[in-house]
Amino acid sequence: MRIPALIIISLQFVSSFVFSQSVSYKAQTVKESWYSPDSKSWGPEVFIKKYKYNSSGDTLEALIDDRQSMIIYKWERTINKLHQPVTEKMFVYYTQRDTWIFHEQKDYLYKDGLLIFKQHLAYDISFNVTKTKVFYSYDTKGRIAEYYKLDSIDEQWIKTYGIVHAYADSAGFLKTHTTTVYNPDQDKHVNDKKTEFTYDTKGNIIKKLVLAWQIDYNDMVYKWLGYNVDEYKYNATGVYTEHLFGQGMWPYQKYTDIQWYDWDKKQKASYIYHIWNTDKKQWDKKLRYKISYPDSVTSVTLIEELYDNFWILKFRETLVVRNGKKDVIKSEILDANDKWKVHNYILFEHTYDTSMNLRETIYSLQDHIQTELTPMYRYVYEDYVQIVGMDQARHFISADIYPNPANKFINITINAKKAIQSNIVIYDLAGRRMSCTAKTISPGKNTFEIEINNLEPGIYIIKIESAGGNVYSGKIVKTQ
């Protein structure tokens, strides 16, 4: 399990770096209503959500009408050419007061495509304002080196929070990151946490150690708090098969005999769960988890508990149907009489129009209290608009770029749903094409080596383009 060398800040309400020319559609209105068992009918809408997009499918406005609380929330945002947010504003409309209140605003600043500054202003109903500034810095390889937060307290900017990243070597693996929380009232650090990573020769994490300190408010003394540890073991192919958790001086729990159904999707097929017995100083097996896939649709999950060295099946869950129109999931537990009893029976029903746009989803449930499957809520999708949107799902299951940062070449591994003719194109941040390599992508797993030795050090956008448009986009960092 590698730590990505190029760390992209993940922010709520931020679009991905995918610039597609494929035609797709998005619903501008989503209505949620709940089912009334007494009248056996759908009640009025409790939520109405409306969205406005640009031609690339980025959300520019969102309005949520909470009809239960009689409050309307509205978001507005502007974006740059890299589809990153520049300004986000939020307004709140109180129906009972018949007035809009400016609630909050976020401003973002970038350099060479990397976020370097974020400011957040928030107002309460009495117009009291909370101000926050966050600064980000990066090393020469485009990796986060430090970020810290300033809060406005009594009209003074006080540093209250910070994280420092330290990288191990030219391979780009994260060695440590340190978190600091500062209390300006006490003029003291109130919490510090340091995480250390250890790797094997293949770059896999074998140990993660978290050290913590915290202030004791009884005597105002800064004390050692303890540590947590995660340890991993891997098989010959580099997939981890054991994971141990420790707290303080003692191991706590671990997963062993881990088998993977699909490593790319991070789907476990089976494992055994252990708890550390402090009295006997030994590991006690507790649960055994198994999941099987009899066919391309059905999945069966089994959970067994260990009693007197015998595994007893206690829980099973079956994905009965998944065909785009229905998702049916049945969960059962073994009762005191060793009989299977339905614990949950969940049904998702999807309705599409002639253009295969989703128009309605109904969620129904039968749990251990209900005697029959009962509708619970539904979503209705309206006002579809055509956009030049992101259509990555039609072609790819996943794509990975490594090493990143890189000096002479990069590898691109793609899991494709179907065969397509494509060009792998590298652009600089000004949008100039630096290289173009034609490739045929086959169904399944594909790996291509792309030479970047002739590029100047810096950050670049890499795209996989086909006749239908751009279907994948990401970032790479070229080193010295």
Side-chain angles (χ1 to χ4, degrees):
M1 182 179 296
R2 296 173 183 263
I3 298 295
L6 174 61
I7 299 178
I8 305 291
I9 306 298
S10 176
L11 299 169
Q12 186 180 10
F13 208 40
V14 177
S15 298
S16 60
F17 293 93
V18 180
F19 315 137
S20 174
Q21 300 300 316
S22 303
V23 175
S24 57
Y25 298 85
K26 278 190 175 183
Q28 294 188 105
T29 303
V30 181
K31 299 179 179 179
E32 180 182 347
S33 55
W34 296 347
Y35 186 78
S36 172
D38 296 331
S39 62
K40 296 189 181 301
S41 62
W42 292 103
E45 290 90 359
V46 292
F47 288 97
I48 297 180
K49 304 175 184 179
K50 292 183 177 290
Y51 303 94
K52 181 180 178 181
Y53 312 102
N54 63 10
S55 59
S56 297
D58 300 301
T59 306
L60 300 181
E61 292 184 9
L63 187 142
I64 298 179
D65 185 355
D66 183 349
R67 299 197 166 183
Q68 284 191 311
S69 303
M70 294 193 297
I71 299 176
I72 302 176
Y73 303 90
K74 182 180 180 181
W75 286 266
E76 297 176 353
R77 70 196 292 250
T78 58
I79 59 173
N80 60 20
K81 293 181 180 180
L82 292 179
H83 296 222
Q84 298 167 310
V86 176
T87 301
E88 296 176 353
K89 297 180 181 179
M90 177 182 173
F91 304 86
V92 180
Y93 179 78
Y94 295 91
T95 307
Q96 294 176 329
R97 298 175 58 175
D98 191 25
T99 183
W100 282 98
I101 302 295
F102 180 66
H103 185 63
E104 65 177 343
Q105 177 171 329
K106 296 178 182 178
D107 300 290
Y108 305 89
L109 182 64
Y110 306 87
K111 182 179 180 180
D112 296 331
L114 299 175
L115 179 67
I116 59 173
F117 173 75
K118 179 176 68 174
Q119 179 173 261
H120 183 201
L121 304 177
Y123 299 84
D124 61 20
I125 197 170
S126 300
F127 297 101
N128 298 313
V129 61
T130 301
K131 301 178 183 179
T132 301
K133 293 181 180 180
V134 184
F135 294 84
Y136 303 85
S137 62
Y138 301 82
D139 62 16
T140 56
K141 297 180 180 180
R143 307 173 304 195
I144 279 195
E146 180 180 6
Y147 69 89
Y148 61 91
K149 183 177 74 170
L150 301 179
D151 289 306
S152 178
I153 300 174
D154 295 330
E155 299 302 320
Q156 292 184 336
W157 290 105
I158 304 294
K159 185 174 180 179
T160 60
Y161 182 80
I163 287 184
V164 177
H165 292 85
Y167 293 88
D169 50 33
S170 58
F173 298 132
L174 184 64
K175 184 178 181 181
T176 65
H177 69 77
T178 305
T179 306
T180 299
V181 180
Y182 175 73
N183 186 330
D185 293 332
Q186 303 291 338
D187 194 23
K188 294 178 180 291
H189 285 188
V190 295
N191 182 283
D192 285 290
K193 185 170 67 175
K194 182 179 182 181
T195 305
E196 299 178 347
F197 301 91
T198 305
Y199 302 84
D200 62 16
T201 56
K202 297 180 179 179
N204 300 308
I205 291 180
I206 57 176
K207 188 174 183 179
K208 183 176 73 173
L209 181 64
V210 180
L211 312 171
W213 297 262
Q214 183 171 317
I215 195 167
D216 187 333
Y217 283 98
N218 292 324
D219 51 16
M220 297 305 295
V221 175
Y222 201 60
K223 292 183 177 181
W224 163 251
L225 191 61
Y227 66 86
N228 295 333
V229 63
D230 292 82
E231 295 182 354
Y232 302 89
K233 293 183 179 179
Y234 300 81
N235 62 17
T237 62
V239 176
Y240 81 87
T241 58
E242 182 173 321
H243 183 189
L244 179 144
F245 303 84
Q247 290 184 332
M249 295 295 293
W250 299 101
Y252 172 57
Q253 59 185 357
K254 70 175 179 178
Y255 298 94
T256 65
D257 304 304
I258 300 174
Q259 302 293 323
W260 297 91
Y261 162 69
D262 189 329
W263 173 247
D264 290 326
K265 294 182 180 180
K266 304 295 187 292
Q267 293 178 343
K268 294 185 180 73
S270 63
Y271 62 82
I272 298 176
Y273 174 68
H274 309 249
I275 291 288
W276 179 253
N277 188 322
T278 54
D279 296 328
K280 297 182 179 180
K281 302 293 189 297
Q282 67 181 30
W283 289 104
D284 291 341
K285 295 180 180 180
K286 290 296 184 181
L287 295 174
R288 184 165 65 179
Y289 168 97
K290 294 181 179 179
I291 182 168
S292 60
Y293 299 83
D295 52 53
S296 60
V297 173
T298 308
S299 65
V300 180
T301 303
L302 306 175
I303 297 180
E304 302 167 304
E305 295 183 15
L306 189 65
Y307 293 95
D308 298 326
N309 292 320
F310 290 97
W311 290 107
I312 307 297
L313 185 61
K314 288 291 185 180
F315 172 87
R316 67 185 182 190
E317 179 180 271
T318 305
L319 174 61
V320 183
V321 177
R322 173 168 288 168
N323 58 15
K325 294 185 178 180
K326 281 188 179 181
D327 294 329
V328 182
I329 304 172
K330 181 172 67 173
S331 302
E332 299 170 288
I333 58 175
L334 201 64
D335 64 16
N337 299 317
D338 290 336
K339 293 183 178 181
W340 287 105
K341 183 178 180 181
V342 172
H343 183 254
N344 277 325
Y345 192 85
I346 301 173
L347 168 65
F348 290 93
E349 296 178 283
H350 313 290
T351 303
Y352 299 83
D353 60 20
T354 55
S355 300
M356 293 306 297
N357 293 316
L358 181 62
R359 288 296 181 179
E360 182 181 68
T361 296
I362 297 178
Y363 169 84
S364 301
L365 171 69
Q366 177 186 343
D367 59 21
H368 58 283
I369 299 176
Q370 298 167 312
T371 58
E372 61 182 14
L373 198 64
T374 304
M376 300 294 290
Y377 58 83
R378 70 175 177 182
Y379 293 101
V380 177
Y381 304 87
E382 300 176 350
D383 305 325
Y384 272 87
V385 293
Q386 178 177 309
I387 61 171
V388 183
M390 297 168 286
D391 205 11
Q392 179 179 347
R394 289 197 314 160
H395 304 286
F396 297 135
I397 297 174
S398 64
D400 187 29
I401 301 174
Y402 60 94
N404 193 7
N407 175 254
K408 295 182 179 180
F409 67 89
I410 57 172
N411 293 308
I412 302 179
T413 298
I414 302 165
N415 285 309
K417 291 183 178 180
K418 65 178 185 179
I420 57 172
Q421 297 294 326
S422 68
N423 292 322
I424 300 176
V425 187
I426 297 177
Y427 297 89
D428 65 13
L429 292 178
R432 293 172 295 194
R433 178 182 287 198
M434 309 304 293
S435 69
C436 179
T437 307
K439 294 292 182 181
T440 298
I441 299 176
S442 304
K445 190 173 184 178
N446 303 258
T447 300
F448 305 112
E449 182 179 292
I450 305 297
E451 185 177 342
I452 61 170
N453 193 41
N454 60 334
L455 297 178
E456 293 294 326
I459 301 170
Y460 295 87
I461 304 296
I462 184 167
K463 299 182 182 182
I464 301 174
E465 301 175 345
S466 69
N470 179 38
V471 290
Y472 174 79
S473 181
K475 281 187 177 182
I476 60 172
V477 177
K478 169 67 164 61
T479 61
Q480 294 281 357

